[in-house]
């Protein structure tokens, strides 16, 4: 049974009834496996990267849905290296031939031969953390919440391939069961999950793990730097309870939330969860989260509550300056793509048909995983808000950090992107807090100001934010003051 479990192949995203019976054998395999990594947390503070940060690689598992995987490779290979995981009977030659038949070459594709059970690399794949915000890249490996031991070893394979230190939450007292589709973070210590994280770590889940919520929070803090872990109620009709099926964080303060018609399917619980977040938590900037609504469309007039597939647009993935978004050959596809394009100016927003995978309860985010760069230059900035001020300048602050230090930072602004940008040197506000600032000159009412930030490290690296700048930008409006004169009649 142990050998057959190792070679077990699964197309389902959910935990099947058959797999529940396999859990004891999975636990035996885990217990017998020799340690290949650190099982105690890093000794220095750590930070889990956000998905919109710079990537050195994008991971997919060549297991099922080859037509979708080929389109992902097409979109990703121009932005970063694709780590394409495969096992027999697939070979580099057979995969190359399949890609080539669709007009996709293997430039920037690196194939990694490693055993696989399933395609769902988001859930079992590696998590990228940095020591002291921007220093050493390390890989985190949880216990996968499926009895799929080959999948569970993928972080080991990826960490070995890029020669990154590997930390595993696999040993008491830090044994943690988790799944990537049920976790997202803002890059600065705030994490989000459904309550699945709580039930997966109770004895009833069958993984021989027993943790309180406080213990889970401690493990996530020690291994991943998650100092604030927001957990929401699971949804009635989302069978896998992964938050990426209905929400997405696209920057440090903006939540894209799936929206059903009033009273339909998981809509009421999604709204209740959103209101819970807005009522109890602020963004890392100390201000309320911004919310962008995006449709949760029907499947031929059916929703998950009455037999329809779980059509979702939040199951999207960043690949440096590109965002891939699931589409379903329906009119709402255009609406969703335009919502993302408006929210992320300058990004290449690419729709990929996900009708093949969505019946198995997953789309693009579920079958992809990012790996951060070894040498990040981190820039975080809260976009300036619309203002009525036409007198004072507009102060823009940013957190900018690189392991070798920052030699200079520049803010570029314009009121007309067709004529280019004006450079303003940024000044250090606090070297201890890696804080920089600049003042954009005041503008007349009715003006839209577009701007971006660039920084240079001592080692010579340059980075911009937003990442697609100058075609991508932050912006704010200088508003008109409207005077209302009322005639008082006696």
């Amino acid at each position: 049974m142990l050998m057959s479990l190792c070679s077990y192949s699964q197309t389902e995203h959910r935990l099947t009834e058959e797999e529940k019976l396999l859990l004891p054998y999975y636990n035996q395999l885990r217990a017998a496996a020799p340690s290949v990594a650190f099982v105690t947390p890093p000794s220095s503070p750590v930070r889990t990267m956000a998905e919109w940060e710079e990537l050195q690689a994008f991971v997919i598992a060549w297991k099922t849905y080859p037509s979708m995987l080929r389109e992902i490779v097409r979109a990703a290979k121009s932005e970063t290296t694709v780590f394409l995981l495969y096992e027999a009977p697939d070979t580099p030659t057979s995969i190359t031939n399949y890609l080539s038949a669709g007009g996709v070459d293997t430039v920037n594709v690196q194939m990694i031969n490693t055993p696989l059970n399933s395609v769902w690399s988001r859930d079992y794949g590696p998590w990228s953390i940095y020591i002291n915000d921007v220093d050493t890249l390390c890989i985190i490996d949880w216990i996968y919440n499926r009895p799929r031991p080959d999948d569970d070893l993928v972080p080991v394979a990826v960490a070995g391939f890029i020669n990154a230190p590997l930390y595993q939450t696999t040993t008491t007292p830090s044994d943690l069961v988790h799944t990537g589709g049920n976790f997202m973070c803002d890059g600065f210590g705030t994490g989000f999950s459904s309550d699945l994280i709580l039930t997966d770590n109770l004895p009833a889940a069958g993984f021989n793990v027993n943790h309180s919520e406080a213990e889970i929070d401690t493990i996530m803090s020690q291994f991943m730097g998650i100092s604030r872990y927001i957990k929401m109620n699971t949804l009635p009709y989302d069978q896998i309870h992964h938050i990426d099926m209905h929400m997405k964080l696209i920057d440090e303060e903006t939540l894209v939330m799936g929206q059903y018609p009033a009273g339909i399917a998981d809509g009421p619980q999604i709204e209740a969860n959103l209101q819970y977040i807005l009522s109890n938590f602020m963004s890392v900037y100390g201000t309320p989260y911004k919310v962008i609504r995006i449709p949760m469309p029907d499947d031929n007039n059916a929703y998950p509550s009455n037999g329809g597939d779980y059509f979702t647009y939040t199951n999207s993935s960043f690949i440096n300056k590109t965002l891939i978004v699931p589409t379903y050959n329906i009119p709402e596809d255009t609406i969703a793509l335009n919502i993302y394009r408006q929210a992320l100016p300058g990004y290449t927003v690419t729709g990929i048909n996900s009708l093949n995978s969505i019946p198995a309860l997953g789309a693009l985010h579920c079958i992809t995983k990012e790996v951060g760069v070894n040498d990040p230059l981190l820039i975080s900035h809260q976009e300036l808000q619309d203002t009525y001020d036409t007198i004072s300048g507009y102060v823009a602050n940013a957190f900018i950090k690189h392991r070798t230090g920052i030699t200079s930072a520049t803010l570029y602004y314009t009121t007309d992107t067709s004529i280019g940008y004006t450079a303003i040197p940024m000044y250090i506000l606090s070297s201890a807090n890696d804080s920089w600032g600049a003042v954009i000159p005041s503008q007349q009412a009715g003006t839209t100001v577009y701007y971006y930030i660039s920084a240079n490290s001592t080692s010579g690296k340059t980075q911009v934010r937003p990442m697609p700048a100058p075609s991508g930008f932050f912006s704010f409006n200088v508003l008109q003051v409207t005077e209302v004169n009322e005639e008082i009649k006696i």
Side-chain angles (χ1 to χ4, degrees):
M1 177 61 75
L2 295 183
M3 289 298 293
S4 63
L5 183 56
C6 284
S7 59
Y8 174 63
S9 182
Q10 178 58 269
T11 58
E12 288 284 354
H13 199 178
R14 63 184 176 87
L15 180 68
T16 66
E17 292 302 316
E18 178 188 17
E19 287 184 314
K20 292 177 183 177
L21 300 177
L22 295 175
L23 279 172
Y25 305 101
Y26 179 53
N27 294 332
Q28 288 181 45
L29 281 173
R30 289 197 301 104
S35 175
V36 294
F38 300 106
V39 294
T40 56
S43 57
S44 300
V46 297
R47 182 185 70 87
T48 300
M49 65 165 280
E51 292 182 31
W52 51 82
E53 294 182 35
E54 188 182 0
L55 307 184
Q56 68 166 299
F58 200 58
V59 179
I60 62 172
W62 195 268
K63 193 65 178 174
T64 47
Y65 317 121
S67 62
M68 289 178 62
L69 297 178
R70 181 164 59 192
E71 294 311 306
I72 293 170
V73 174
R74 190 192 309 274
K77 63 189 293 296
S78 62
E79 291 284 359
T80 190
T81 300
V82 176
F83 285 173
L84 197 157
L85 314 178
Y86 76 95
E87 65 171 358
D90 291 310
T91 66
T93 298
S94 68
I95 296 169
T96 298
N97 289 341
Y98 184 85
L99 292 172
S100 179
V104 180
D105 61 39
T106 54
V107 175
N108 287 340
V109 176
Q110 296 189 20
M111 301 190 193
I112 303 175
N113 185 205
T114 186
L116 298 166
N117 301 120
S118 74
V119 72
W120 311 107
S121 58
R122 171 66 46 181
D123 295 337
Y124 56 74
W127 283 93
S128 300
I129 66 166
Y130 294 103
I131 305 294
N132 295 323
D133 291 335
V134 292
D135 289 348
T136 306
L137 169 71
C138 303
I139 296 298
I140 298 295
D141 175 24
W142 301 324
I143 300 169
Y144 183 26
N145 73 339
R146 300 286 186 267
R148 303 172 188 174
D150 288 340
D151 289 348
D152 204 16
L153 290 175
V154 161
V156 178
V158 173
F161 192 78
I162 64 173
N163 195 30
L166 175 67
Y167 289 83
Q168 293 180 307
T169 62
T170 56
T171 304
T172 305
S174 299
D175 46 348
L176 180 74
V177 180
H178 210 344
T179 181
N182 191 39
F183 178 72
M184 60 184 64
C185 70
D186 67 351
F188 289 93
T190 296
F192 298 83
S193 289
S194 79
D195 284 341
L196 176 67
I197 181 63
L198 304 180
T199 56
D200 268 352
N201 286 277
L202 293 176
F207 294 95
N208 288 351
V209 173
N210 185 13
H211 288 302
S212 66
E213 181 174 3
E215 290 170 339
I216 292 169
D217 290 350
T218 296
I219 296 169
M220 291 293 287
S221 174
Q222 292 177 336
F223 281 82
M224 302 189 72
I226 300 301
S227 56
R228 185 176 64 161
Y229 200 0
I230 300 170
K231 306 174 194 72
M232 298 157 285
N233 290 339
T234 57
L235 308 184
Y237 301 104
D238 173 8
Q239 300 176 48
I240 57 174
H241 302 309
H242 292 185
I243 61 172
D244 65 356
M245 295 296 283
H246 67 273
M247 67 180 288
K248 185 170 190 68
L249 204 61
I250 61 168
D251 60 35
E252 295 90 336
E253 61 175 345
T254 307
L255 296 167
V256 175
M257 298 296 294
Q259 185 175 38
Y260 286 100
I264 294 295
D266 284 332
Q269 189 59 62
I270 292 173
E271 186 63 27
N273 289 348
L274 174 60
Q275 294 308 316
Y276 167 71
I277 294 172
L278 298 179
S279 299
N280 292 278
F281 304 98
M282 294 290 185
S283 75
V284 67
Y285 303 125
T287 52
Y289 282 100
K290 300 177 182 178
V291 178
I292 297 173
R293 312 280 185 162
I294 200 163
M296 299 289 285
D298 63 274
D299 172 17
N300 291 313
N301 298 315
Y303 289 99
S305 52
N306 59 347
D309 284 331
Y310 213 101
F311 285 6
T312 170
Y313 296 114
T314 63
N315 207 256
S316 56
S317 288
F318 282 100
I319 319 169
N320 288 330
K321 300 184 292 297
T322 286
L323 183 79
I324 54 174
V325 181
T327 55
Y328 309 98
N329 290 338
I330 57 176
E332 289 87 347
D333 292 347
T334 300
I335 296 172
L337 295 174
N338 286 338
I339 288 172
Y340 278 120
R341 287 171 181 144
Q342 183 175 359
L344 297 166
Y347 279 81
T348 300
V349 177
T350 300
I352 295 178
N353 191 306
S354 300
L355 283 171
N356 286 344
S357 70
I358 202 63
L361 306 172
L364 302 180
H365 194 254
C366 298
I367 61 177
T368 60
K369 191 71 183 74
E370 59 280 338
V371 179
V373 294
N374 291 315
D375 187 41
L377 197 167
L378 181 61
I379 303 174
S380 177
H381 165 70
Q382 183 179 30
E383 186 173 25
L384 296 180
Q385 301 302 296
D386 293 349
T387 179
Y388 289 99
D389 189 350
T390 59
I391 306 300
S392 305
Y394 314 111
V395 179
N397 297 332
F399 174 88
I400 307 176
K401 191 170 185 178
H402 186 267
R403 60 185 174 184
T404 66
I406 300 297
T407 56
S408 65
T410 306
L411 185 148
Y412 293 86
Y413 83 96
T414 185
T415 58
D416 182 351
T417 56
S418 68
I419 63 173
Y421 289 79
T422 299
I424 304 174
M426 300 186 78
Y427 50 89
I428 298 176
L429 296 172
S430 170
S431 57
N433 296 321
D434 302 291
S435 179
W436 294 69
V439 180
I440 300 172
S442 60
Q443 304 292 324
Q444 65 184 7
T447 301
T448 299
V449 179
Y450 308 91
Y451 68 100
Y452 68 93
I453 293 169
S454 176
N456 301 299
S457 74
T458 303
S459 64
K461 179 166 185 173
T462 298
Q463 184 58 277
V464 293
R465 184 80 190 272
M467 200 177 293
S471 59
F473 46 75
F474 302 108
S475 67
F476 65 94
N477 298 305
V478 183
L479 303 173
Q480 299 275 4
V481 177
T482 302
E483 293 184 359
V484 179
N485 295 319
E486 294 185 356
E487 182 179 351
I488 301 176
K489 296 182 179 179
I490 300 178

